Amino acid sequence: MKERITYIVQDPDAFSPEQLVVKGDSITLKKVQAAKEQRITVGLDELPTELRKSLEQWHELHIRWSSSIPYSASPPFTSRVTPGLHVFFTPLRDQPEGDLCNLLHLALGSELQCDSMSEASTKMPILSERFSMSASSQYYSYLDSLSNLVNFIQKRVCKSKACKESAEVLLSATYVDIDYDAISHAVVLSAFTATAPATGYWDETISVTSELQSTEVGVLTYEKNPDPEDIGFGGFLTVLGQDQAPKPTRFQTPTRHYPIPSDSANYKISFARPTGLHPTLSITFPSSHLTPPDSTCKLHTYLTLPSYLFVDKYQFNDALYLASNNLKSLRSIAGAADLEAPDWVTPEWGSAALFELAVPKSGDIEESSVEWNATIPLHLRYLPAADHSHTTVPAPWPVVFWACRAEEGTKMAVNPFDRLHLGYEALFGPRTRFMHISPIRSGGETDGLVEWIDVPVLDLKKSQWVEIGTIGTVIVAFIGLCWAMFGNAGGRKTNGGNAKEKKKQ
Amino acid sequence: MALSSFFSSTRAVLSSAILLRVAFLLYGLAQDAFSPVKYTDIDYFVFTDAARSIARGQSPYARDTYRYTPLLAWLLYPTTWSGTWFSFGKVLFAVGDIVAGWMMYRILRTHQGLSQERALKYASIWLLNPMVATISTRGSSEGLLGVFVTALLWAALSRRIVLTGFFLGFAVHFKIYPFIYAASIVWWLDDKSNSSSSSSPISRTIKFLNAQRIGVALSSLLTFMGLNVVMYIAYGWPFLEHSYFYHLVRIDHRHNFSPYNTLLYMNSSPKASGVDHVSFLELERLAFIPQILLSAVIIPLVIAKKDLSSTMLAQTWAFVTFNKVCTSQYFLWYIMFLPYYLPDSVMMRSPRTGASLLVLWILGQAAWLQQGFQLEFNGESTFIPGLWISSILFFGINCTILGFVLRDIRTRGQSPLFGKRKR
């Protein structure tokens, strides 16, 4: 078991080396304002048998969870995924798939909609054949908190008190990645926390525990001026139990997720109200920040749509229609695509769509400093009848990023902070650099990066007359029509002439 | 009078009908070119995508939601050629419309003996109907169906037996529901040389199985099965699955005019735990019984021998009204029979009755559409009572109209057979 803890100091000017004290086997941080990534690597043989067995059924398994609370990213941790739980995996070849749903229910919560992973998951579209690093299948569910996972780790994985305590870290994490693959035979768990909980700074002591083979602590600041393809850091590294003092360091690395130059660029997601059965998702930018960082950059959004929401891909064939929504194209769509099925007969988790967005022409930007809007018309599936009139469902915010051409794609993997398996990279070539735009809440609202949609459903409280009323009406109508054909010609709908005729008969 | 001179000229009416469609086509092209909201029907993109699949040597069922015979995609093959050819299908459907309208006129003239002016007036219910012209120029295939069904009626009335069977088999292959016409046409095909004195059941059966009936049965079956076999060989299981089985097992949950719609949504949706809902028999599964009994058994048996074309109107109306799914394009299926029924109908004899029924029919739809709008775009849960009540009301209105039609046809002068049975 190995641990690597990285602090990225938010304000380099407010940081001095005196805030770090190494004493024996431990390091103490004093009021360090920083983002923190904690990464633990566990060998498969260090895990409990049942967990090891269920992992060994997979070729690779990548879990990405992101909180819905907005945060500001610090390089190198600028990549983003839609809030919720993402699972990317590849089954072992020539072997029956393991019961992944069961594992997810056990570890992450029984409320996850997943009966059988072979039905609930969808195949990842691979636009770039040579990009072989992608997993084959995808699953997603909106999940607000990792409290179930913390419980699971504490009860089923931890052997020591220290382990149980550190599992609590996941509760305040901004995002958490869990990676397993059959080749490395290890599980890597990374938890990223954008700002220290409660106080906003870290005041803590990290010591070596018996379980850990090594613990490395880095306190780094981001430095802006290396090669345009790279990002650089300076700061201090300490290997606990080995180093007597923090060791100064400076390095630079190519990176897949590059920080965006202007940090004020951001976007908001909203739905035109009322949403009805056809909610229109709107992505709003301050148009002044929509200049491509580089001429090769294209603006994209990647939507992770739970099964009750879907896009009709055929709508996006028309250039005028795309333009009227400020869209360039629907680059990729995968998953539950049935345009008619109600939610309860859709076994898949949902669908994922990649759109390229139009950007204002450079002339337009100067003229108007107003907002730029891209809209994506969505549709709702019917949800099960319930004992209320509306069912509220989450619509997590999509991620928005520039995808740009990179000179040295293959070297990105040497980045010690490289983050893969986010769903959308597989839709681009390997020489692609992603520059993420930050989502921000428009003031006042307390919710996170998720919209809640009220879906009208059949209200069973009012339905007691429907069955008898419908069937009764049909029977009465049927009898009435038979009467019109077989009954006396002078029935209900008689006119004078017919009545006379009847008397004659 | 200008109007009567207009309707006394076949040329004037037909050229107006053509002009109307040309205008709609051109307007549609303009709207499609300049507006993100398309005039062209979504289904037309489905058809043309399927035609493109065929052109690429693939199955038309490669296109999601293509649920028609491959013949339709083949008919639209020219739409795959280049820019302007894309509208070929709409032109084809519009031409189909005109041909159907002209056949209606011929049927009214020859078989119902209407004067030219009256025949043109009644054929104009189809020919000059903006709703009909819109539907075909937007690229919906219902217009094409109009040709086949009208041709079927014309062939039957002219007692062209093989042709009747061919059109019947073809129409059923194309859209399934015309199978109901088999009953009325077969029942209607009496021997004209009617020396009706036989009484034993056997001799009556033998008399029933006359050459014409057997001819229609054989030729329709041959056409229907022939087409199916060819399509099955070419496109395999997906053909059967999408063009037949889908329509038989589909439960359309999305709101539509059918009286069963709310019930289907309610009973097909999984029960949330804690909600105590008792559906006693799931009787909606038996919805096909009153529908088929009325449209394919009772109505043909009782009135087909009196007036075939009006019977087909009543059958279609019953079929659509009692169907588990009903959208407004289905209304076209019975509108195409109105020109034959209306001339001698109670609706024309008593214009007040006719007008009230028409107003009721429109109001029923308007009420439902308003509730549907509240649901679809304002997100109000109008399933119960709004949509349910208005679909039940619309159902009631349709049944009332159907009741008038049935009684009207029935009391229209007794046929020898029924006169006899009554006594």
Side-chain angles (χ1 to χ4, degrees):
Chain A
M1 197 184 284
K2 290 187 298 184
E3 185 174 30
R4 184 188 81 187
I5 301 174
T6 311
Y7 296 89
I8 303 292
V9 174
Q10 276 145 355
D11 180 5
D13 296 337
F15 173 74
S16 75
E18 284 84 65
Q19 286 169 276
L20 308 178
V21 179
V22 175
K23 199 187 257 179
D25 285 352
S26 68
I27 183 169
T28 302
L29 283 85
K30 292 177 177 170
K31 296 197 171 183
V32 177
Q33 271 198 312
K36 175 181 175 185
E37 192 217 42
Q38 199 166 352
R39 171 178 295 202
I40 296 173
T41 309
V42 189
L44 209 53
D45 46 1
E46 294 172 81
L47 288 172
T49 324
E50 52 161 351
L51 188 59
R52 194 185 72 216
K53 280 190 173 155
S54 42
L55 286 174
E56 278 176 334
Q57 293 173 311
W58 304 96
H59 177 66
E60 58 179 328
L61 176 65
H62 308 281
I63 295 176
R64 302 285 174 265
W65 176 85
S66 178
S67 144
S68 64
I69 300 164
Y71 66 96
S72 53
S74 325
F77 304 111
T78 52
S79 63
R80 288 173 186 269
V81 292
T82 289
L85 174 77
H86 306 252
V87 181
F88 301 98
F89 62 95
T90 310
L92 280 175
R93 222 174 281 164
D94 314 322
Q95 273 199 30
E97 291 189 17
D99 195 350
L100 189 51
C101 285
N102 189 33
L103 180 65
L104 292 181
H105 285 149
L106 211 63
L108 286 145
S110 51
E111 75 273 16
L112 294 175
Q113 293 253 328
C114 181
D115 290 330
S116 130
M117 195 43 103
S118 56
E119 284 184 8
S121 64
T122 57
K123 290 271 165 277
M124 296 275 290
I126 313 289
L127 294 192
S128 150
E129 298 266 330
R130 286 156 63 204
F131 200 68
S132 57
M133 298 169 82
S134 157
S136 71
S137 303
Q138 180 175 17
Y139 171 83
Y140 169 84
S141 173
Y142 182 70
L143 183 68
D144 202 38
S145 140
L146 287 182
S147 53
N148 282 318
L149 180 64
V150 172
N151 252 322
F152 174 80
I153 292 177
Q154 288 176 335
K155 287 202 181 118
R156 307 255 187 145
V157 182
C158 282
K159 293 174 192 131
S160 69
K161 198 171 170 234
C163 166
K164 285 181 183 173
E165 277 170 15
S166 50
E168 301 272 334
V169 167
L170 300 181
L171 291 177
S172 54
T174 307
Y175 68 73
V176 172
D177 297 350
I178 302 173
D179 293 276
Y180 163 78
D181 69 78
I183 294 156
S184 70
H185 237 62
V187 176
V188 181
L189 188 149
S190 332
F192 174 77
T193 312
T195 44
T199 53
Y201 48 78
W202 302 99
D203 232 356
E204 58 186 355
T205 299
I206 297 148
S207 356
V208 179
T209 61
S210 55
E211 281 174 318
L212 293 168
Q213 289 155 352
S214 77
T215 301
E216 190 184 12
V217 178
V219 181
L220 306 172
T221 57
Y222 168 56
E223 294 179 346
K224 275 187 182 170
N225 53 353
D227 286 334
E229 290 274 311
D230 292 0
I231 47 172
F233 298 91
F236 300 90
L237 293 180
T238 313
V239 178
L240 294 190
Q242 194 179 320
D243 294 330
Q244 308 307 313
K247 278 204 278 192
T249 184
R250 168 160 290 159
F251 65 94
Q252 67 182 62
T253 168
T255 182
R256 200 179 308 278
H257 297 277
Y258 199 82
I260 201 156
S262 144
D263 52 17
S264 56
N266 52 49
Y267 69 95
K268 285 183 286 196
I269 296 293
S270 58
F271 280 98
R273 309 276 167 177
T275 42
L277 291 176
H278 307 281
T280 298
L281 180 136
S282 164
I283 310 173
T284 310
F285 307 89
S287 62
S288 49
H289 296 296
L290 275 185
T291 333
D294 177 287
S295 61
T296 63
C297 295
K298 304 269 194 304
L299 190 60
H300 288 84
T301 184
Y302 183 69
L303 275 72
T304 311
L305 299 169
S307 60
Y308 41 82
L309 279 171
F310 65 97
V311 296
D312 175 359
K313 64 176 172 185
Y314 298 106
Q315 278 184 304
F316 301 100
N317 290 335
D318 179 59
L320 281 171
Y321 184 80
L322 285 167
S324 74
N325 287 296
N326 281 340
L327 301 174
K328 273 271 171 66
S329 65
L330 171 60
R331 288 269 317 269
S332 155
I333 171 103
D338 193 310
L339 307 178
E340 291 152 343
D343 197 40
W344 61 88
V345 300
T346 309
E348 297 102 329
W349 64 269
S351 56
L354 176 72
F355 283 93
E356 187 186 334
L357 305 181
V359 291
K361 289 184 198 100
S362 46
D364 299 347
I365 299 174
E366 284 144 37
E367 278 173 35
S368 60
S369 56
V370 287
E371 292 172 328
W372 177 256
N373 250 312
T375 46
I376 299 174
L378 306 176
H379 308 277
L380 281 166
R381 294 185 194 284
Y382 271 31
L383 294 180
D387 54 354
H388 46 247
S389 67
H390 290 82
T391 300
T392 305
V393 294
W397 284 27
V399 288
V400 178
F401 51 84
W402 296 99
C404 316
R405 197 185 149 70
E407 290 304 322
E408 304 174 88
T410 46
K411 290 187 188 161
M412 286 166 176
V414 306
N415 179 350
F417 304 106
D418 190 29
R419 193 178 180 217
L420 265 174
H421 303 292
L422 307 178
Y424 46 82
E425 324 100 298
L427 306 176
F428 296 89
R431 295 167 77 159
T432 307
R433 204 163 62 173
F434 299 95
M435 295 162 94
H436 288 261
I437 301 184
S438 304
I440 54 151
R441 287 296 318 189
S442 41
E445 286 162 272
T446 49
D447 278 326
L449 305 176
V450 58
E451 298 298 307
W452 294 89
I453 299 177
D454 285 337
V455 185
V457 294
L458 188 147
D459 187 348
L460 287 174
K461 287 205 307 288
K462 300 185 200 160
S463 71
Q464 64 270 35
W465 292 107
V466 168
E467 185 144 32
I468 190 126
T470 306
I471 289 162
T473 309
V474 171
I475 291 173
V476 168
F478 182 76
I479 293 171
L481 290 172
C482 289
W483 177 257
M485 275 181 297
F486 297 118
N488 295 331
R492 198 161 39 94
K493 294 150 199 150
T494 285
N495 56 33
N498 277 336
K500 272 173 216 157
E501 247 177 55
K502 181 191 154 197
K503 271 175 201 162
K504 271 182 223 161
Q505 284 176 356
Chain B
M1 246 179 78
L3 207 61
S4 73
S5 71
F6 173 77
F7 280 114
S8 61
S9 154
T10 322
R11 186 177 289 175
V13 172
L14 278 182
S15 40
S16 311
I18 292 169
L19 269 180
L20 183 69
R21 281 156 181 83
V22 169
F24 278 19
L25 262 175
L26 292 178
Y27 168 79
L29 286 179
Q31 182 175 328
D32 283 0
F34 297 110
S35 165
V37 183
K38 300 298 165 200
Y39 175 81
T40 303
D41 195 82
I42 299 162
D43 283 345
Y44 191 67
F45 294 108
V46 178
F47 306 153
T48 49
D49 282 353
R52 224 165 293 142
S53 295
I54 277 183
R56 268 188 251 115
Q58 296 169 338
S59 158
Y61 303 104
R63 171 61 159 88
D64 297 340
T65 72
Y66 184 77
R67 320 234 194 249
Y68 314 87
T69 163
L71 274 184
L72 181 60
W74 276 109
L75 271 176
L76 300 185
Y77 194 92
T79 57
T80 61
W81 287 342
S82 70
T84 35
W85 279 101
F86 181 72
S87 301
F88 169 81
K90 298 180 192 179
V91 176
L92 183 74
F93 297 156
V95 168
D97 256 8
I98 308 264
V99 172
W102 184 77
M103 283 195 288
M104 284 174 192
Y105 163 72
R106 291 306 308 158
I107 291 171
L108 288 169
R109 289 284 283 144
T110 339
H111 296 283
Q112 296 194 207
L114 262 59
S115 71
Q116 172 165 316
E117 188 188 333
R118 282 191 80 205
L120 279 173
K121 267 186 191 162
Y122 284 105
S124 296
I125 293 175
W126 181 266
L127 277 172
L128 300 182
N129 190 331
M131 178 180 157
V132 175
T134 312
I135 287 177
S136 61
T137 52
R138 287 187 64 201
S140 166
S141 64
E142 311 297 330
L144 210 54
L145 187 78
V147 191
F148 303 136
V149 171
T150 311
L152 168 67
L153 176 63
W154 164 80
L157 289 174
S158 343
R159 295 199 175 237
R160 288 168 207 258
I161 296 306
V162 177
L163 217 48
T164 306
F166 168 76
F167 282 126
L168 182 60
F170 189 85
V172 177
H173 171 77
F174 201 80
K175 210 100 199 185
I176 306 178
Y177 88 89
F179 79 89
I180 57 174
Y181 304 138
S184 47
I185 290 173
V186 164
W187 190 238
W188 176 82
L189 281 173
D190 264 335
D191 274 325
K192 285 229 163 136
S193 54
N194 198 349
S195 56
S196 56
S197 53
S198 53
S199 54
S200 83
I202 298 165
S203 64
R204 266 162 61 182
T205 311
I206 291 168
K207 216 172 90 55
F208 173 76
L209 290 173
N210 61 24
Q212 296 186 324
R213 285 180 173 138
I214 294 171
V216 167
L218 281 182
S219 58
S220 61
L221 209 65
L222 267 176
T223 312
F224 179 67
M225 290 317 293
L227 286 168
N228 289 345
V229 166
V230 169
M231 297 305 150
Y232 183 77
I233 289 169
Y235 300 106
W237 181 252
F239 155 67
L240 291 178
E241 186 188 345
H242 292 287
S243 51
Y244 293 123
F245 301 144
Y246 167 79
H247 298 278
L248 299 181
V249 301
R250 82 187 274 193
I251 299 175
D252 205 320
H253 307 78
R254 296 227 163 229
H255 51 284
N256 60 67
F257 288 103
S258 168
Y260 297 108
N261 181 246
T262 312
L263 191 57
L264 286 175
Y265 175 15
M266 201 168 97
N267 287 349
S268 68
S269 92
K271 303 292 170 285
S273 54
V275 178
D276 230 12
H277 172 74
V278 197
S279 161
F280 38 105
L281 280 168
E282 300 207 335
L283 281 172
E284 77 278 1
R285 286 175 190 277
L286 306 176
F288 70 93
I289 292 178
Q291 180 189 24
I292 299 302
L293 264 185
L294 272 176
S295 62
V297 181
I298 300 176
I299 293 177
L301 283 184
V302 178
I303 55 175
K305 293 193 182 181
K306 299 200 170 166
D307 181 346
L308 179 62
S309 40
S310 299
T311 302
M312 286 163 79
L313 169 81
Q315 285 180 285
T316 321
W317 211 309
F319 186 89
V320 170
T321 303
F322 281 79
N323 201 20
K324 281 209 269 190
V325 184
C326 178
T327 60
S328 41
Q329 59 181 1
Y330 293 13
F331 303 155
L332 216 60
W333 298 356
Y334 53 76
I335 288 177
M336 63 181 79
F337 288 107
L338 274 180
Y340 319 115
Y341 163 70
L342 281 179
D344 295 320
S345 68
V346 62
M347 279 105 184
M348 300 314 288
R349 288 197 306 275
S350 157
R352 187 187 281 176
T353 314
S356 328
L357 289 176
L358 178 64
V359 167
L360 273 178
W361 187 74
I362 290 169
L363 281 182
Q365 280 181 67
W368 186 93
L369 285 169
Q370 193 268 341
Q371 292 300 312
F373 182 86
Q374 293 294 343
L375 168 70
E376 192 113 347
F377 296 101
N378 290 339
E380 290 174 27
S381 177
T382 55
F383 294 108
I384 308 174
L387 272 174
W388 180 60
I389 297 278
S390 49
S391 69
I392 291 285
L393 263 180
F394 187 59
F395 173 75
I397 290 166
N398 275 299
C399 288
T400 308
I401 298 176
L402 187 56
F404 269 91
V405 172
L406 289 174
R407 262 180 29 84
D408 204 14
I409 304 169
R410 201 187 130 205
T411 52
R412 209 178 254 181
Q414 310 279 317
S415 81
L417 187 127
F418 270 89
K420 220 180 296 155
R421 206 190 261 177
K422 277 221 157 153
R423 266 173 243 142

